[in-house]
Amino acid sequence: MHVQEDSVFCAIVAGEAEASVVFEDDVVVAFMDLGAVTPGHVLVVPRVHAVGLEDLDEDTGAHVWRMGHRIGRALRRSGLRCEGVNVFLADGEAAFQEIFHFHLHVFPRFQGDSFRIDADWATRARHLLDSEAGRVRMGLAEIS
């Protein structure tokens, strides 16, 4: 896991870097993504520095997702081209996280836009799913 104390997001949250802010409160700042997938691409960033899910407390995480939900709804009402909405979290390098300050992407989707997720969507055997479910239950037990 990356240990990055300061990020461009820390500077934005502190008001030390420019950002086109959509929403802010005492927990999060939501602003337009400079590297937008589509026009209207918003990042929801907690004020507290956390690298990823493992570092973020659940109450702050729930607020990030609540605001992501609200911004997704707002995008549909914004007048921007929006035939759908993606809410996307990249947690760790293997998941394509590039800025190591937790953030949630919320962006409009439309026919012919450039966003792609390429994966092998093959059906998994039930015994594998049951085994994997057991492993996740073990992980949940460690958190509780």
PDB file of all heavy atoms in Angstrom, residues 2 50-53 88-103:
ATOM      1  N   HIS A   2       0.491   2.238  -0.755  1.00  0.00           N
ATOM      2  CA  HIS A   2       1.222   3.490  -0.810  1.00  0.00           C
ATOM      3  C   HIS A   2       1.078   4.249   0.494  1.00  0.00           C
ATOM      4  O   HIS A   2       0.024   4.273   1.101  1.00  0.00           O
ATOM      5  CB  HIS A   2       0.666   4.369  -1.938  1.00  0.00           C
ATOM      6  CG  HIS A   2       1.310   4.117  -3.238  1.00  0.00           C
ATOM      7  ND1 HIS A   2       2.383   4.842  -3.659  1.00  0.00           N
ATOM      8  CD2 HIS A   2       1.051   3.225  -4.205  1.00  0.00           C
ATOM      9  CE1 HIS A   2       2.750   4.416  -4.850  1.00  0.00           C
ATOM     10  NE2 HIS A   2       1.949   3.431  -5.205  1.00  0.00           N
ATOM     11  N   ALA A  50      -6.748   9.706   3.514  1.00  0.00           N
ATOM     12  CA  ALA A  50      -6.784   8.246   3.604  1.00  0.00           C
ATOM     13  C   ALA A  50      -6.361   7.743   2.234  1.00  0.00           C
ATOM     14  O   ALA A  50      -6.822   8.253   1.213  1.00  0.00           O
ATOM     15  CB  ALA A  50      -8.187   7.751   3.943  1.00  0.00           C
ATOM     16  N   VAL A  51      -5.473   6.766   2.206  1.00  0.00           N
ATOM     17  CA  VAL A  51      -4.983   6.252   0.933  1.00  0.00           C
ATOM     18  C   VAL A  51      -6.079   5.481   0.213  1.00  0.00           C
ATOM     19  O   VAL A  51      -6.342   5.684  -0.964  1.00  0.00           O
ATOM     20  CB  VAL A  51      -3.733   5.369   1.135  1.00  0.00           C
ATOM     21  CG1 VAL A  51      -3.330   4.681  -0.158  1.00  0.00           C
ATOM     22  CG2 VAL A  51      -2.581   6.212   1.671  1.00  0.00           C
ATOM     23  N   GLY A  52      -6.734   4.570   0.922  1.00  0.00           N
ATOM     24  CA  GLY A  52      -7.752   3.725   0.307  1.00  0.00           C
ATOM     25  C   GLY A  52      -8.775   3.270   1.322  1.00  0.00           C
ATOM     26  O   GLY A  52      -8.849   3.790   2.445  1.00  0.00           O
ATOM     27  N   LEU A  53      -9.551   2.281   0.932  1.00  0.00           N
ATOM     28  CA  LEU A  53     -10.619   1.760   1.789  1.00  0.00           C
ATOM     29  C   LEU A  53     -10.116   1.328   3.161  1.00  0.00           C
ATOM     30  O   LEU A  53     -10.786   1.537   4.172  1.00  0.00           O
ATOM     31  CB  LEU A  53     -11.300   0.570   1.103  1.00  0.00           C
ATOM     32  CG  LEU A  53     -12.239   0.902  -0.043  1.00  0.00           C
ATOM     33  CD1 LEU A  53     -12.592  -0.363  -0.815  1.00  0.00           C
ATOM     34  CD2 LEU A  53     -13.484   1.595   0.466  1.00  0.00           C
ATOM     35  N   PHE A  88     -17.400   5.045  -9.592  1.00  0.00           N
ATOM     36  CA  PHE A  88     -16.229   4.187  -9.738  1.00  0.00           C
ATOM     37  C   PHE A  88     -15.208   4.488  -8.658  1.00  0.00           C
ATOM     38  O   PHE A  88     -14.862   5.645  -8.429  1.00  0.00           O
ATOM     39  CB  PHE A  88     -15.620   4.426 -11.127  1.00  0.00           C
ATOM     40  CG  PHE A  88     -14.428   3.577 -11.448  1.00  0.00           C
ATOM     41  CD1 PHE A  88     -14.588   2.249 -11.826  1.00  0.00           C
ATOM     42  CD2 PHE A  88     -13.156   4.100 -11.377  1.00  0.00           C
ATOM     43  CE1 PHE A  88     -13.493   1.465 -12.137  1.00  0.00           C
ATOM     44  CE2 PHE A  88     -12.052   3.326 -11.690  1.00  0.00           C
ATOM     45  CZ  PHE A  88     -12.223   1.998 -12.065  1.00  0.00           C
ATOM     46  N   LEU A  89     -14.728   3.441  -8.007  1.00  0.00           N
ATOM     47  CA  LEU A  89     -13.686   3.555  -6.990  1.00  0.00           C
ATOM     48  C   LEU A  89     -12.496   2.717  -7.419  1.00  0.00           C
ATOM     49  O   LEU A  89     -12.648   1.539  -7.745  1.00  0.00           O
ATOM     50  CB  LEU A  89     -14.210   3.045  -5.644  1.00  0.00           C
ATOM     51  CG  LEU A  89     -13.163   2.953  -4.540  1.00  0.00           C
ATOM     52  CD1 LEU A  89     -12.695   4.331  -4.119  1.00  0.00           C
ATOM     53  CD2 LEU A  89     -13.728   2.193  -3.362  1.00  0.00           C
ATOM     54  N   ALA A  90     -11.315   3.315  -7.415  1.00  0.00           N
ATOM     55  CA  ALA A  90     -10.079   2.595  -7.691  1.00  0.00           C
ATOM     56  C   ALA A  90      -9.304   2.529  -6.376  1.00  0.00           C
ATOM     57  O   ALA A  90      -8.816   3.549  -5.893  1.00  0.00           O
ATOM     58  CB  ALA A  90      -9.273   3.303  -8.770  1.00  0.00           C
ATOM     59  N   ASP A  91      -9.209   1.350  -5.779  1.00  0.00           N
ATOM     60  CA  ASP A  91      -8.552   1.167  -4.487  1.00  0.00           C
ATOM     61  C   ASP A  91      -7.292   0.336  -4.682  1.00  0.00           C
ATOM     62  O   ASP A  91      -7.356  -0.894  -4.751  1.00  0.00           O
ATOM     63  CB  ASP A  91      -9.509   0.484  -3.498  1.00  0.00           C
ATOM     64  CG  ASP A  91      -8.895   0.285  -2.123  1.00  0.00           C
ATOM     65  OD1 ASP A  91      -8.117   1.156  -1.689  1.00  0.00           O
ATOM     66  OD2 ASP A  91      -9.185  -0.746  -1.497  1.00  0.00           O
ATOM     67  N   GLY A  92      -6.143   0.993  -4.829  1.00  0.00           N
ATOM     68  CA  GLY A  92      -4.869   0.310  -5.023  1.00  0.00           C
ATOM     69  C   GLY A  92      -4.412   0.352  -6.464  1.00  0.00           C
ATOM     70  O   GLY A  92      -5.216   0.524  -7.383  1.00  0.00           O
ATOM     71  N   GLU A  93      -3.110   0.203  -6.646  1.00  0.00           N
ATOM     72  CA  GLU A  93      -2.522   0.265  -7.988  1.00  0.00           C
ATOM     73  C   GLU A  93      -3.136  -0.750  -8.934  1.00  0.00           C
ATOM     74  O   GLU A  93      -3.401  -0.443 -10.093  1.00  0.00           O
ATOM     75  CB  GLU A  93      -1.013   0.043  -7.912  1.00  0.00           C
ATOM     76  CG  GLU A  93      -0.261   1.238  -7.372  1.00  0.00           C
ATOM     77  CD  GLU A  93       1.230   1.012  -7.363  1.00  0.00           C
ATOM     78  OE1 GLU A  93       1.813   0.948  -8.469  1.00  0.00           O
ATOM     79  OE2 GLU A  93       1.797   0.898  -6.267  1.00  0.00           O
ATOM     80  N   ALA A  94      -3.368  -1.969  -8.461  1.00  0.00           N
ATOM     81  CA  ALA A  94      -3.922  -3.015  -9.325  1.00  0.00           C
ATOM     82  C   ALA A  94      -5.329  -2.661  -9.802  1.00  0.00           C
ATOM     83  O   ALA A  94      -5.779  -3.170 -10.825  1.00  0.00           O
ATOM     84  CB  ALA A  94      -3.938  -4.358  -8.588  1.00  0.00           C
ATOM     85  N   ALA A  95      -5.999  -1.768  -9.070  1.00  0.00           N
ATOM     86  CA  ALA A  95      -7.344  -1.334  -9.432  1.00  0.00           C
ATOM     87  C   ALA A  95      -7.324   0.009 -10.174  1.00  0.00           C
ATOM     88  O   ALA A  95      -8.356   0.644 -10.316  1.00  0.00           O
ATOM     89  CB  ALA A  95      -8.209  -1.225  -8.175  1.00  0.00           C
ATOM     90  N   PHE A  96      -6.138   0.426 -10.620  1.00  0.00           N
ATOM     91  CA  PHE A  96      -5.942   1.644 -11.410  1.00  0.00           C
ATOM     92  C   PHE A  96      -5.983   2.933 -10.587  1.00  0.00           C
ATOM     93  O   PHE A  96      -6.185   4.004 -11.139  1.00  0.00           O
ATOM     94  CB  PHE A  96      -6.929   1.744 -12.582  1.00  0.00           C
ATOM     95  CG  PHE A  96      -6.973   0.524 -13.442  1.00  0.00           C
ATOM     96  CD1 PHE A  96      -8.123  -0.247 -13.521  1.00  0.00           C
ATOM     97  CD2 PHE A  96      -5.851   0.126 -14.149  1.00  0.00           C
ATOM     98  CE1 PHE A  96      -8.153  -1.392 -14.298  1.00  0.00           C
ATOM     99  CE2 PHE A  96      -5.877  -1.009 -14.938  1.00  0.00           C
ATOM    100  CZ  PHE A  96      -7.032  -1.777 -15.009  1.00  0.00           C
ATOM    101  N   GLN A  97      -5.770   2.839  -9.262  1.00  0.00           N
ATOM    102  CA  GLN A  97      -5.676   4.070  -8.467  1.00  0.00           C
ATOM    103  C   GLN A  97      -4.381   4.785  -8.835  1.00  0.00           C
ATOM    104  O   GLN A  97      -3.306   4.174  -8.865  1.00  0.00           O
ATOM    105  CB  GLN A  97      -5.696   3.757  -6.972  1.00  0.00           C
ATOM    106  CG  GLN A  97      -5.736   5.009  -6.106  1.00  0.00           C
ATOM    107  CD  GLN A  97      -5.840   4.691  -4.616  1.00  0.00           C
ATOM    108  OE1 GLN A  97      -5.741   3.541  -4.198  1.00  0.00           O
ATOM    109  NE2 GLN A  97      -6.048   5.721  -3.821  1.00  0.00           N
ATOM    110  N   GLU A  98      -4.481   6.071  -9.129  1.00  0.00           N
ATOM    111  CA  GLU A  98      -3.314   6.870  -9.520  1.00  0.00           C
ATOM    112  C   GLU A  98      -2.978   7.946  -8.498  1.00  0.00           C
ATOM    113  O   GLU A  98      -1.821   8.277  -8.308  1.00  0.00           O
ATOM    114  CB  GLU A  98      -3.544   7.511 -10.894  1.00  0.00           C
ATOM    115  CG  GLU A  98      -3.646   6.478 -12.000  1.00  0.00           C
ATOM    116  CD  GLU A  98      -3.982   7.082 -13.349  1.00  0.00           C
ATOM    117  OE1 GLU A  98      -4.338   8.277 -13.421  1.00  0.00           O
ATOM    118  OE2 GLU A  98      -3.896   6.343 -14.343  1.00  0.00           O
ATOM    119  N   ILE A  99      -3.971   8.524  -7.863  1.00  0.00           N
ATOM    120  CA  ILE A  99      -3.767   9.498  -6.792  1.00  0.00           C
ATOM    121  C   ILE A  99      -4.078   8.764  -5.493  1.00  0.00           C
ATOM    122  O   ILE A  99      -5.197   8.271  -5.305  1.00  0.00           O
ATOM    123  CB  ILE A  99      -4.699  10.726  -6.940  1.00  0.00           C
ATOM    124  CG1 ILE A  99      -4.530  11.385  -8.302  1.00  0.00           C
ATOM    125  CG2 ILE A  99      -4.471  11.711  -5.794  1.00  0.00           C
ATOM    126  CD1 ILE A  99      -3.206  12.047  -8.545  1.00  0.00           C
ATOM    127  N   PHE A 100      -3.099   8.702  -4.612  1.00  0.00           N
ATOM    128  CA  PHE A 100      -3.252   7.877  -3.417  1.00  0.00           C
ATOM    129  C   PHE A 100      -3.817   8.674  -2.249  1.00  0.00           C
ATOM    130  O   PHE A 100      -3.229   8.808  -1.182  1.00  0.00           O
ATOM    131  CB  PHE A 100      -1.947   7.148  -3.121  1.00  0.00           C
ATOM    132  CG  PHE A 100      -1.675   6.130  -4.194  1.00  0.00           C
ATOM    133  CD1 PHE A 100      -0.915   6.460  -5.302  1.00  0.00           C
ATOM    134  CD2 PHE A 100      -2.266   4.877  -4.143  1.00  0.00           C
ATOM    135  CE1 PHE A 100      -0.712   5.548  -6.326  1.00  0.00           C
ATOM    136  CE2 PHE A 100      -2.086   3.962  -5.159  1.00  0.00           C
ATOM    137  CZ  PHE A 100      -1.302   4.299  -6.255  1.00  0.00           C
ATOM    138  N   HIS A 101      -4.991   9.231  -2.525  1.00  0.00           N
ATOM    139  CA  HIS A 101      -5.885   9.855  -1.553  1.00  0.00           C
ATOM    140  C   HIS A 101      -7.262   9.352  -1.979  1.00  0.00           C
ATOM    141  O   HIS A 101      -7.676   9.578  -3.124  1.00  0.00           O
ATOM    142  CB  HIS A 101      -5.793  11.380  -1.644  1.00  0.00           C
ATOM    143  CG  HIS A 101      -6.630  12.116  -0.645  1.00  0.00           C
ATOM    144  ND1 HIS A 101      -6.090  13.096   0.172  1.00  0.00           N
ATOM    145  CD2 HIS A 101      -7.939  12.038  -0.327  1.00  0.00           C
ATOM    146  CE1 HIS A 101      -7.052  13.586   0.943  1.00  0.00           C
ATOM    147  NE2 HIS A 101      -8.190  12.949   0.646  1.00  0.00           N
ATOM    148  N   PHE A 102      -7.939   8.633  -1.105  1.00  0.00           N
ATOM    149  CA  PHE A 102      -9.234   8.031  -1.416  1.00  0.00           C
ATOM    150  C   PHE A 102     -10.103   9.027  -2.182  1.00  0.00           C
ATOM    151  O   PHE A 102     -10.203  10.199  -1.803  1.00  0.00           O
ATOM    152  CB  PHE A 102      -9.923   7.628  -0.111  1.00  0.00           C
ATOM    153  CG  PHE A 102     -11.225   6.914  -0.316  1.00  0.00           C
ATOM    154  CD1 PHE A 102     -11.266   5.538  -0.370  1.00  0.00           C
ATOM    155  CD2 PHE A 102     -12.409   7.621  -0.457  1.00  0.00           C
ATOM    156  CE1 PHE A 102     -12.465   4.870  -0.565  1.00  0.00           C
ATOM    157  CE2 PHE A 102     -13.607   6.964  -0.650  1.00  0.00           C
ATOM    158  CZ  PHE A 102     -13.629   5.588  -0.702  1.00  0.00           C
ATOM    159  N   HIS A 103     -10.747   8.561  -3.247  1.00  0.00           N
ATOM    160  CA  HIS A 103     -11.666   9.407  -3.996  1.00  0.00           C
ATOM    161  C   HIS A 103     -12.634   8.536  -4.797  1.00  0.00           C
ATOM    162  O   HIS A 103     -12.292   7.448  -5.234  1.00  0.00           O
ATOM    163  CB  HIS A 103     -10.932  10.376  -4.918  1.00  0.00           C
ATOM    164  CG  HIS A 103     -10.000   9.737  -5.894  1.00  0.00           C
ATOM    165  ND1 HIS A 103      -8.795   9.176  -5.534  1.00  0.00           N
ATOM    166  CD2 HIS A 103     -10.096   9.590  -7.238  1.00  0.00           C
ATOM    167  CE1 HIS A 103      -8.192   8.709  -6.606  1.00  0.00           C
ATOM    168  NE2 HIS A 103      -8.959   8.931  -7.668  1.00  0.00           N
TER     169      HIS A 103
END
